[in-house]
Amino acid sequence: MAESEEESSCLQQVYVEKQELDDSEDVLDLDSIDIDDREFDLPEVSVPQSLESILNEPDDLPEIEEDPLFLEQAETASVTSDAVSFANNGATSGRSTPSRQVRKDSIQYPLHGSVLRHVVLRGISSQIVSAAERVNAGLPSAMAVSAVVAIGSTHGVVLIFDPKQTLKLCLSNGQTREQYGAVSALALNNDCTRLLVGHARGQITMWDLTTGKLLRTITDAHQPGSAILHIQFTDDPTLAIFSDSGGSVFELNFRRLMGVRGSDSTCIFSGSRGEVCSILVLHAGPLQDHPLDDLSIMALATMSKVIVITIRPKLRVLFHHPLRGNSNTLPLLAWHYVFVQQQTGRTLEPVLAFARSSTIYFCQLVCKSPDNVQFVLLQKLTVPYVLIHMMWINAKTLITVDSLERMHLVDVRHDEELQVLDVGDVKLVYGSSHFKSLATGGNVSPAMALAGENACYQSVALFRGQVLLLGTKSLHVFTIRTWFERINYLARQEHYVEALALALSFYEGSARAVIGLDSNVEKRKGLIASKLLRVLYEFVEASATKNVPTRGAIHLLVEHYESVMPVCIESCISIDRTDVLFGDVYDRFSQDFVAKALFLESLEPYILDDKLRHIAPAVMQELVENYEERKEIDDLERLIVHLDIMSMNIDHIVKLCWKHSLYDGIIYIFNQSMNDYISPLEELLNILMDSILNKKDLTDKVVKLANKVLVYVSCCLAGRAYPVGDISESIMLQVKTSVLKALTVLHTKQPAEEEPVYPYLRTLLHYSTREFLNALALAFEEPEFESEVGRQQKQRIVDILLQIMVDNMEFSPTQVGALFTFLARQMAKAANTIYVSRMLFEQVLEYLSNPNDSSRHEEREQALIELLHAAGLQQFDEERLLALAERAEFYRVCELLYDKQHQYDKVLSCYLRDTSRQVQAFRFIEIVMSNPARKAAEKKAFRRKVLESIELLVAIDQQQTAELLACVFPDSMHEVTTRLAHEPRLLYAFLTGLIDYKESQAIGIKKKEGIVIGSDVYEQYIDLMCEFDPANVCTYVKSTDAYRLENTLEICKKHQVMDAMAHLLEKSGQVHDAFVILLQNLQDKVGDLCSVLLAGHESHTVDVSASWSALQVALCVVVQFCQRVSGKLEEAERQGLWFPILETMMHPQRKLDHKVAPQHLDSFKELTRHVLNSMMGYISVAAILKCIMEDPAYSTGKLSDIKELVLGMLEMYNYESTLLHSMKNLLNQDLHAQLARLQQTANRGYAAKSDACDLCHKPLAHIVDADNIVLFRSALPACLAFLTLGN
């Protein structure tokens, strides 16, 4: 009974007409403004495109440019997802029936709960089955839904049901079943008085639903033999649109003259120019007087593009966009009206969603007037499945159906999937047979037949936010649950945690697909909070009773309550109902001591995050006792300073804090409860005085207290509350003044006889002079000290500090130095008003420049620099100051003073002596020398200093030194090299930088003026390289030609750099001498390897491996050398090069035979084969074989010993022969192709641009002999006679 009532209520909900549009549900927040052509780069079209021109465009047109904002959104995943957790096997491939797909489970995301409600309309479903079985009405094939439900069958019968699932009409005539075939499409007009029925054999019938009479039978509206795929009424009751399986679209006009009903059809376009698979008419929106009311607009989709056109008042193309997808997928269309917020207010505009395969586009139609209609592409959505249907369920939410028969609920605004339902049990009706036009012989294109495998256009319908699915034996309705139902659904299943989280998302406004909430924020939150509390009470009761573990260890009970408590606390805090948290919830959990303790402990993170500031006093008392029992006093202190003072028993908490030395708690309570910032400071300072002034050992407790007092004083003087927050503006000045006054009191309230003056200041200065003075410096930055009274107060404090610390033996020099640094910084400020005596100023200066104090060197120097910048040293002798700075190694101070005196050479010395700033010297040199304001004498002295410091500059950075010399001192090259001659390594580094800079100029890295380097410099550089880096000499001489060959060769001979010598000899044409050097190097490497092998060092794999590598490199070098020069030599000369190499590699095999491991001999043979293969192109095979056969290493053995060598040679010969033959064929083919193209071009006819000679202007028709005409390809024709005369 309950189930039947649910079905009836659901169906009533489907058909109840809504009197007003719910703004909260039908508004798509696109944050739009007025559409401007320039903003969206919409070009002005002078001549609108015709439908035929669009259909004739190629299918591979580029897509229109999309809004980058939405492109970025589309590129990030469109479905958030746990949905990605199922592998979509076969989702992108075609199928013939849904049953062949792998079935997947539904997905319900915990964040959103169960959003969709599924109801089977059993009344309609049973009558569908009954009609098929009893009267042979056939199976369902199509559906249309409005104020009635119309279901067509495979036998041409249409059943009409009312909202109460009662069968009202059965529409059929005797000819329907045999002649017309199955119902393939249905359409209801706006008032549900007329029904259009499209049949599989192409006929169209119109029925009167008030009487059940057949009004029209239309058999000639389109080409016969094509099934009706879509049929739709427009807002004009006399106009309908339909499409057939041939891909053509027609408009159908109804008329009635003299009581006779008639109709005529017009083809909008033919399917031969592009088969239309889907059409969708845009109906009038819910608002009146909209500019679109005068237009009849329709979207249609082919396999390759989407087109939007107007049918009335005239046919016009408004928009088109390419569609791409798999060949087995159909395009999808869906219109919906949404409110768009613009500068002038909210307007109702239609949005078209169109899709294919896995991509969905959203496009807004902007209609400023009937003649000004524009489209703006809003968003692109990519889903991880193949779409077979799509529709809007409201302005924010889209329903999609994939090829695995799963229904997806998608939030469009946030690109988020809300729920997935498996609808495979529906056994969805597919219209594949109509797309294949099986009823008329299958005369459709293969593309249409393939794509129609998944066609379900006529079996999924939407009405008033309800989705209806037509199955083979049933009708199903899917609706979005209201917010109340979604919470109840989870609560009934005892998923309380998810239900509370969902309710909080409703309360905070972050939920998706929300239905049924009031648009007023306060009312909405009140309703949600009330429902949340009811679910919370159920959750608390269940957690304390039936869900409590009854068996097992105590940790199971602890884990249970640890998972429950945060949910309860978070729920109450979020809706600001702490009275419930510390009332009914706490009372229920207090009945179990474990639950009570865990409840109190669970409050801690919310208190520390300042989410929970107030606690009921009784609960606060329990909380304090709980932490005391567990001896977690420090944690309790952290909680106290985050709680409202009204929650506490102040007397008890203060005693507790003093007992356990919770100084933060003491300060917080005094500050917050009584606005007393002085009493806790005095009490804590009195504690410190006893330890610090009496020079007792500082315990950890005292150090901790001292640090807290320093931070507290700093916060108070800066206007900050301690430990967190800010002091109220109304008392901030009073707090600052009172704290300073308390710190500078002459004596405490009850002074001892031996108490020194200013005890509090002394205490803090003794503990940490630097930190206290830093706090004081921050306080002096406050605006209070800028007034006259403030300046007097600042001077008073400074005087007190000087009185306490200067000439007082109780403070160390370091502490006094910290004071002087503090004073220097204060005096260096632009608005300095501090006065100190000259003698004291001398002391400050002496301290800052003390050379015996290595501590805080940077800080002291910076203080002195700030004094200089602030003109605080005007009255001081600069010469003495310079002497002090030199002695203290304050190079930056010296730099400022020397720069002021224009002694730039000494400034450069400061840079060079300051190790942290040596690199900046190069930039300084360039600035000074390029400054036209500098005098010639200054530059001359500076130049002398630079050249004197050239060794140090090279040591700092050789590259920058070379660049500096090239750009600033190009005429000093000889002088520099002379100065560096006694330091060869420095000279080598300098020349390296210079030549590198020159090469960087050559390749364009450096853009400055080039420099000229003579060949003698290059040769000097090569000489030094032979000494310090001989391994790279050969590489360098190969890379440049700037040296003189003979001189460089002598240099290499002097240093015995053999590889470089060989290269230079080869370059000079002394091939034999170069070969001797390379051969000797090869023989040396072979000898070294043999020595290692014979010495029995096989176990030392590193030595053997290194020797083999050296041999391979040497062999490769000499082989490449021979290959380079062999082409220029005679046969005998070539043999004189190659055979010694071969002998060198074959000799060790004779020497090492039976003395080393076989693998070493094999390695030698492998190298020998390499030599043979390399020399085959230059030495005859017969000569090579003769050499091998005469060698004792091979001649005395068996044929198998040389078999591999001979076979390798023959293989190489065959390979090169094949390569030569192939290359010859390729060249011949290329030559033939080019000649063929030239011949074809020469034989091609040319049309003359004029009928007269371009030179003599004689008409060509008057020339009798055609052979006397010459036609130039690049010009007009000319007669041969003229050309002959002009020769």
Side-chain angles (χ1 to χ4, degrees):
M1 183 68 181
E3 186 177 26
S4 176
E5 291 177 357
E6 184 180 10
E7 294 173 14
S8 178
S9 65
C10 180
L11 191 62
Q12 292 291 340
Q13 185 179 2
V14 173
Y15 296 103
V16 170
E17 294 287 340
K18 294 186 179 180
Q19 299 299 321
E20 60 182 5
L21 192 63
D22 188 353
D23 294 349
S24 66
E25 294 306 316
D26 288 332
V27 178
L28 184 62
D29 298 326
L30 296 175
D31 302 325
S32 298
I33 58 173
D34 287 331
I35 304 301
D36 187 359
D37 292 354
R38 292 171 296 177
E39 178 183 358
F40 293 97
D41 196 21
L42 297 175
E44 205 173 299
V45 181
S46 56
V47 180
Q49 286 182 284
S50 66
L51 187 60
E52 184 175 355
S53 66
I54 293 175
L55 291 173
N56 286 328
E57 288 178 354
D59 291 345
D60 57 349
L61 287 173
E63 297 187 9
I64 65 172
E65 184 176 353
E66 302 174 60
D67 190 339
L69 171 64
F70 294 103
L71 275 176
E72 181 179 350
Q73 293 178 358
E75 286 169 3
T76 63
S78 24
V79 181
T80 57
S81 240
D82 298 338
V84 182
S85 64
F86 34 94
N88 196 355
N89 296 330
T92 59
S93 61
R95 62 179 180 82
S96 57
T97 60
S99 60
R100 298 183 187 178
Q101 297 295 322
V102 179
R103 184 64 58 209
K104 299 294 180 182
D105 295 333
S106 301
I107 297 177
Q108 178 179 313
Y109 298 107
L111 180 63
H112 307 293
S114 179
V115 186
L116 291 173
R117 177 176 57 184
H118 176 200
V119 175
V120 181
L121 302 183
R122 300 188 184 278
I124 295 179
S125 301
S126 61
Q127 294 182 73
I128 291 174
V129 175
S130 177
E133 294 177 350
R134 296 184 180 180
V135 298
N136 196 23
L139 297 176
S141 59
M143 170 180 61
V145 181
S146 185
V148 296
V149 176
I151 298 176
S153 73
T154 56
H155 290 175
V157 179
V158 180
L159 305 178
I160 307 298
F161 297 91
D162 68 4
K164 296 182 180 180
Q165 305 189 53
T166 303
L167 180 62
K168 291 298 184 180
L169 294 171
C170 180
L171 306 178
S172 175
N173 56 23
Q175 300 175 347
T176 301
R177 184 176 305 174
E178 293 78 9
Q179 295 182 9
Y180 294 176
V183 174
S184 57
L186 294 170
L188 292 163
N189 65 353
N190 289 340
D191 58 3
C192 290
T193 58
R194 297 290 185 268
L195 173 68
L196 282 174
V197 181
H199 292 272
R201 295 183 182 275
Q203 297 86 348
I204 299 173
T205 57
M206 175 184 283
W207 298 83
D208 185 342
L209 296 185
T210 59
T211 61
K213 292 182 178 180
L214 177 64
L215 301 180
R216 289 180 176 89
T217 298
I218 306 171
T219 59
D220 56 354
H222 66 116
Q223 183 179 359
S226 299
I228 303 298
L229 298 183
H230 301 273
I231 189 165
Q232 297 175 19
F233 275 104
T234 65
D235 291 331
D236 181 356
T238 64
L239 176 64
I241 306 294
F242 72 91
S243 68
D244 60 16
S245 58
S248 300
V249 179
F250 299 84
E251 64 175 66
L252 193 60
N253 295 279
F254 305 110
R255 62 182 184 275
R256 186 172 182 177
L257 298 175
M258 304 296 292
V260 178
R261 292 185 175 90
S263 64
D264 58 76
S265 65
T266 303
C267 180
I268 296 178
F269 66 87
S270 171
S272 61
R273 295 184 178 274
E275 296 170 315
V276 173
C277 304
S278 178
I279 63 172
L280 189 62
V281 173
L282 174 63
H283 291 282
L287 295 185
Q288 301 297 324
D289 299 327
H290 194 279
L292 287 175
D293 293 343
D294 298 329
L295 300 175
S296 181
I297 296 177
M298 177 183 68
L300 48 90
T302 69
M303 292 291 188
S304 58
K305 55 176 67 72
V306 169
I307 306 169
V308 181
I309 62 174
T310 59
I311 307 170
R312 296 287 187 271
K314 63 179 180 179
L315 187 65
R316 182 162 59 101
V317 176
L318 302 178
F319 169 78
H320 67 97
H321 190 280
L323 266 182
R324 296 183 177 89
N326 295 334
S327 58
N328 59 345
T329 58
L330 287 170
L332 306 173
L333 300 170
W335 285 106
H336 196 80
Y337 281 90
V338 298
F339 277 109
V340 177
Q341 189 67 36
Q342 298 184 356
Q343 291 178 341
T344 57
R346 293 198 308 170
T347 61
L348 193 65
E349 303 289 355
V351 171
L352 174 64
F354 54 93
R356 192 178 179 201
S357 282
S358 301
T359 306
I360 309 173
Y361 298 90
F362 299 90
C363 195
Q364 177 188 348
L365 187 154
V366 181
C367 182
K368 298 179 180 179
S369 67
D371 296 327
N372 186 3
V373 180
Q374 298 174 347
F375 280 79
V376 179
L377 197 61
L378 298 177
Q379 190 172 354
K380 178 182 176 182
L381 197 69
T382 303
V383 294
Y385 46 82
V386 177
L387 296 162
I388 64 172
H389 210 285
M390 169 190 70
M391 70 212 76
W392 295 90
I393 196 167
N394 58 42
K396 298 179 181 179
T397 315
L398 201 68
I399 287 280
T400 63
V401 181
D402 66 20
S403 58
L404 298 180
E405 294 189 353
R406 293 173 304 179
M407 180 181 290
H408 302 258
L409 185 67
V410 180
D411 185 279
V412 176
R413 170 84 161 103
H414 300 91
D415 295 353
E416 184 176 2
E417 188 172 74
L418 308 182
Q419 189 176 357
V420 181
L421 283 181
D422 182 0
V423 294
D425 295 336
V426 173
K427 294 182 173 55
L428 193 64
V429 172
Y430 287 86
S432 306
S433 62
H434 309 317
F435 273 79
K436 296 178 182 179
S437 196
L438 297 181
T440 58
N443 52 340
V444 297
S445 69
M448 180 74 85
L450 177 61
E453 286 288 344
N454 293 320
C456 56
Y457 292 118
Q458 305 301 325
S459 52
V460 182
L462 177 72
F463 181 71
R464 298 297 187 187
Q466 321 297 313
V467 179
L468 288 85
L469 266 63
L470 180 63
T472 56
K473 294 184 179 181
S474 56
L475 183 62
H476 302 252
V477 178
F478 295 86
T479 61
I480 294 182
R481 287 187 169 94
T482 65
W483 71 274
F484 196 84
E485 292 170 341
R486 288 166 65 179
I487 297 175
N488 280 343
Y489 178 84
L490 293 172
R492 283 198 302 269
Q493 296 181 336
E494 298 186 357
H495 295 164
Y496 295 111
V497 175
E498 291 83 358
L500 290 170
L502 180 61
L504 282 178
S505 69
F506 289 134
Y507 187 86
E508 295 168 354
S510 60
R512 310 282 186 255
V514 184
I515 299 292
L517 278 176
D518 197 288
S519 59
N520 183 278
V521 177
E522 294 300 325
K523 290 182 180 179
R524 180 169 70 241
K525 288 191 171 183
L527 287 172
I528 298 170
S530 176
K531 178 60 179 176
L532 186 147
L533 288 178
R534 287 198 292 272
V535 176
L536 179 62
Y537 288 139
E538 295 179 18
F539 176 52
V540 170
E541 187 62 28
S543 301
T545 53
K546 59 182 178 180
N547 292 338
V548 176
T550 57
R551 297 180 181 179
I554 187 66
H555 74 87
L556 296 177
L557 185 62
V558 172
E559 291 175 358
H560 166 69
Y561 282 120
E562 283 179 344
S563 64
V564 169
M565 299 305 174
V567 177
C568 300
I569 297 171
E570 183 73 35
S571 300
C572 293
I573 292 175
S574 298
I575 63 174
D576 196 21
R577 291 298 302 271
T578 54
D579 57 324
V580 174
L581 178 64
F582 299 120
D584 296 337
V585 175
Y586 178 68
D587 293 343
R588 185 66 185 87
F589 286 130
S590 297
Q591 299 175 16
D592 185 290
F593 74 94
V594 176
K596 177 181 177 182
L598 289 172
F599 179 89
L600 296 172
E601 293 173 19
S602 300
L603 296 174
E604 180 176 340
Y606 300 96
I607 296 173
L608 295 179
D609 290 342
D610 291 328
K611 292 181 178 180
L612 188 60
R613 295 278 298 166
H614 180 79
I615 296 179
V619 179
M620 182 66 189
Q621 186 67 27
E622 296 282 355
L623 181 69
V624 172
E625 292 175 358
N626 178 270
Y627 276 84
E628 279 190 283
E629 290 175 4
R630 294 189 288 120
K631 301 185 184 306
E632 296 178 357
I633 302 302
D634 292 338
D635 293 338
L636 177 60
E637 182 182 29
R638 287 197 295 272
L639 297 181
I640 289 173
V641 299
H642 284 272
L643 285 171
D644 185 3
I645 205 71
M646 300 304 295
S647 301
M648 307 177 192
N649 182 339
I650 296 178
D651 183 60
H652 175 71
I653 297 295
V654 169
K655 290 179 180 178
L656 177 71
C657 291
W658 281 117
K659 176 183 177 182
H660 296 285
S661 301
L662 305 181
Y663 302 122
D664 285 353
I666 293 169
I667 294 172
Y668 179 77
I669 293 172
F670 272 91
N671 292 169
Q672 298 297 320
S673 62
M674 296 171 282
N675 284 336
D676 184 357
Y677 289 81
I678 306 304
S679 297
L681 177 62
E682 293 176 344
E683 292 289 343
L684 298 179
L685 283 173
N686 288 331
I687 298 173
L688 285 178
M689 283 172 53
D690 181 57
S691 298
I692 294 177
L693 296 185
N694 294 329
K695 299 183 178 180
K696 297 180 181 179
D697 292 336
L698 298 183
T699 62
D700 293 341
K701 182 178 179 180
V702 173
V703 172
K704 179 180 178 182
L705 172 60
N707 289 331
K708 288 182 181 293
V709 170
L710 278 173
V711 176
Y712 176 60
V713 169
S714 179
C715 287
C716 291
L717 294 179
R720 302 281 296 172
Y722 179 83
V724 292
D726 293 301
I727 299 174
S728 173
E729 292 284 346
S730 60
I731 63 171
M732 184 182 297
L733 181 59
Q734 176 188 347
V735 170
K736 294 180 180 180
T737 305
S738 59
V739 168
L740 279 176
K741 184 177 179 181
L743 291 175
T744 57
V745 294
L746 191 62
H747 287 287
T748 59
K749 294 179 180 178
Q750 297 179 349
E753 293 182 1
E754 65 279 5
E755 181 183 273
V757 294
Y758 304 112
Y760 292 153
L761 276 179
R762 288 178 183 272
T763 300
L764 295 175
L765 288 169
H766 271 294
Y767 175 70
S768 179
T769 305
R770 180 175 305 281
E771 294 303 326
F772 176 70
L773 292 177
N774 286 340
L776 207 56
L778 291 175
F780 285 172
E781 298 291 336
E782 295 295 312
E784 292 81 7
F785 288 96
E786 297 178 1
S787 64
E788 184 63 30
V789 176
R791 288 193 290 270
Q792 293 176 3
Q793 182 73 359
K794 185 191 298 186
Q795 183 66 50
R796 176 176 175 270
I797 294 172
V798 170
D799 293 340
I800 293 173
L801 292 174
L802 294 173
Q803 178 184 345
I804 293 173
M805 298 187 68
V806 178
D807 296 330
N808 194 329
M809 299 303 294
E810 63 179 290
F811 288 96
S812 66
T814 301
Q815 291 174 315
V816 176
L819 173 63
F820 287 164
T821 304
F822 166 77
L823 290 176
R825 289 185 178 275
Q826 294 300 316
M827 294 168 64
K829 296 185 181 300
N832 173 42
T833 58
I834 295 177
Y835 169 78
V836 295
S837 64
R838 182 173 182 81
M839 182 183 68
L840 182 62
F841 191 82
E842 291 275 354
Q843 287 180 297
V844 172
L845 195 59
E846 289 286 347
Y847 164 74
L848 291 177
S849 57
N850 183 10
N852 299 322
D853 185 5
S854 60
S855 63
R856 303 185 308 280
H857 183 276
E858 284 288 330
E859 184 180 352
R860 291 187 289 114
E861 183 179 17
Q862 184 62 35
L864 198 54
I865 290 173
E866 290 176 2
L867 275 174
L868 283 172
H869 285 308
L873 301 177
Q874 288 180 344
Q875 73 277 21
F876 204 79
D877 182 25
E878 283 190 4
E879 292 300 327
R880 183 164 180 268
L881 180 61
L882 187 58
L884 290 174
E886 287 279 4
R887 186 179 62 177
E889 296 182 350
F890 288 170
Y891 297 120
R892 288 188 292 161
V893 176
C894 295
E895 175 191 333
L896 291 174
L897 296 173
Y898 284 134
D899 186 75
K900 186 176 180 181
Q901 299 171 5
H902 300 287
Q903 299 185 33
Y904 302 112
D905 53 339
K906 295 185 178 180
V907 175
L908 177 61
S909 297
C910 294
Y911 274 109
L912 296 177
R913 285 186 290 168
D914 190 350
T915 55
S916 63
R917 300 189 307 140
Q918 286 180 335
V919 178
Q920 299 177 22
F922 298 100
R923 178 60 181 161
F924 174 71
I925 295 171
E926 187 175 350
I927 291 173
V928 171
M929 295 303 296
S930 61
N931 191 341
R934 302 288 178 242
K935 297 179 180 179
E938 294 173 350
K939 288 187 176 182
K940 183 177 180 181
F942 185 72
R943 179 180 182 278
R944 186 184 314 111
K945 181 63 179 176
V946 172
L947 295 177
E948 290 174 357
S949 307
I950 195 68
E951 294 92 341
L952 184 55
L953 290 172
V954 173
I956 294 170
D957 192 323
Q958 63 190 41
Q959 186 72 36
Q960 290 199 57
T961 305
E963 184 174 349
L964 179 70
L965 187 68
C967 299
V968 182
F969 307 109
D971 56 342
S972 303
M973 183 78 66
H974 179 70
E975 183 178 354
V976 171
T977 54
T978 303
R979 283 182 177 274
L980 295 175
H982 66 284
E983 291 284 350
R985 190 169 290 277
L986 279 179
L987 178 58
Y988 175 61
F990 168 72
L991 293 177
T992 300
L994 185 66
I995 291 173
D996 288 345
Y997 173 74
K998 177 66 175 178
E999 292 176 354
S1000 66
Q1001 277 189 323
I1003 61 177
I1005 296 177
K1006 302 292 184 180
K1007 299 298 184 183
K1008 296 183 179 179
E1009 187 175 340
I1011 59 172
V1012 178
I1013 302 177
S1015 58
D1016 56 334
V1017 177
Y1018 280 101
E1019 291 162 8
Q1020 187 178 18
Y1021 175 63
I1022 293 172
D1023 192 4
L1024 293 170
M1025 184 183 290
C1026 290
E1027 181 179 353
F1028 298 112
D1029 191 12
N1032 288 322
V1033 174
C1034 184
T1035 303
Y1036 179 72
V1037 297
K1038 289 180 179 179
S1039 64
T1040 183
D1041 294 323
Y1043 51 83
R1044 289 170 293 187
L1045 191 59
E1046 297 80 5
N1047 296 355
T1048 307
L1049 183 58
E1050 291 300 323
I1051 292 171
C1052 294
K1053 286 181 179 179
K1054 180 179 70 173
H1055 293 281
Q1056 289 298 299
V1057 183
M1058 307 307 293
D1059 54 349
M1061 286 176 57
H1063 172 73
L1064 294 172
L1065 288 169
E1066 179 188 353
K1067 193 172 182 181
S1068 63
Q1070 302 177 49
V1071 175
H1072 183 266
D1073 294 339
F1075 174 72
V1076 170
I1077 293 174
L1078 295 177
L1079 181 63
Q1080 183 61 46
N1081 181 53
L1082 176 64
Q1083 292 171 351
D1084 292 343
K1085 301 301 180 185
V1086 170
D1088 293 342
L1089 177 59
C1090 291
S1091 300
V1092 172
L1093 295 176
L1094 291 174
H1097 291 169
E1098 290 85 348
S1099 59
H1100 302 293
T1101 56
V1102 175
D1103 295 339
V1104 175
S1105 177
S1107 298
W1108 274 114
S1109 298
L1111 174 59
Q1112 290 170 355
V1113 171
L1115 179 61
C1116 183
V1117 170
V1118 70
V1119 166
Q1120 290 176 356
F1121 169 80
C1122 292
Q1123 288 175 335
R1124 287 197 302 272
V1125 302
S1126 292
K1128 307 173 185 177
L1129 303 177
E1130 299 295 332
E1131 176 71 19
E1133 294 175 325
R1134 292 199 295 270
Q1135 292 182 7
L1137 295 181
W1138 285 103
F1139 284 151
I1141 300 175
L1142 184 61
E1143 171 62 23
T1144 302
M1145 299 310 302
M1146 296 171 67
H1147 175 72
Q1149 301 177 45
R1150 299 191 296 271
K1151 180 179 178 181
L1152 301 177
D1153 193 18
H1154 304 300
K1155 296 180 181 180
V1156 297
Q1159 62 266 26
H1160 296 306
L1161 290 174
D1162 292 340
S1163 298
F1164 271 110
K1165 291 181 179 180
E1166 184 64 31
L1167 293 178
T1168 304
R1169 280 194 292 270
H1170 172 65
V1171 175
L1172 289 171
N1173 292 335
S1174 301
M1175 64 191 295
M1176 283 185 62
Y1178 308 99
I1179 307 296
S1180 65
V1181 177
I1184 297 174
L1185 289 175
K1186 180 180 178 183
C1187 179
I1188 294 174
M1189 297 303 295
E1190 292 178 353
D1191 190 274
Y1194 297 97
S1195 61
T1196 58
K1198 299 178 181 179
L1199 179 62
S1200 59
D1201 295 336
I1202 64 170
K1203 178 181 178 181
E1204 293 183 3
L1205 288 176
V1206 175
L1207 290 178
M1209 294 169 57
L1210 294 176
E1211 287 178 1
M1212 179 60 67
Y1213 171 78
N1214 291 332
Y1215 167 73
E1216 292 184 351
S1217 176
T1218 304
L1219 184 64
L1220 181 62
H1221 181 70
S1222 300
M1223 184 60 67
K1224 180 181 177 182
N1225 289 339
L1226 289 174
L1227 290 174
N1228 290 337
Q1229 290 177 9
D1230 185 56
L1231 179 61
H1232 177 269
Q1234 291 184 18
L1235 291 174
R1237 283 195 297 271
L1238 290 173
Q1239 183 181 13
Q1240 184 180 6
T1241 303
N1243 294 334
R1244 185 181 303 163
Y1246 286 87
K1249 297 180 180 179
S1250 173
D1251 58 355
C1253 176
D1254 189 45
L1255 300 178
C1256 68
H1257 305 292
K1258 182 180 180 180
L1260 299 180
H1262 295 171
I1263 300 176
V1264 179
D1265 189 358
D1267 294 335
N1268 291 332
I1269 299 176
V1270 178
L1271 183 67
F1272 294 92
R1273 297 193 184 108
S1274 60
L1276 295 177
C1279 64
L1280 186 61
F1282 184 87
L1283 292 175
T1284 303
L1285 292 174
N1287 193 27

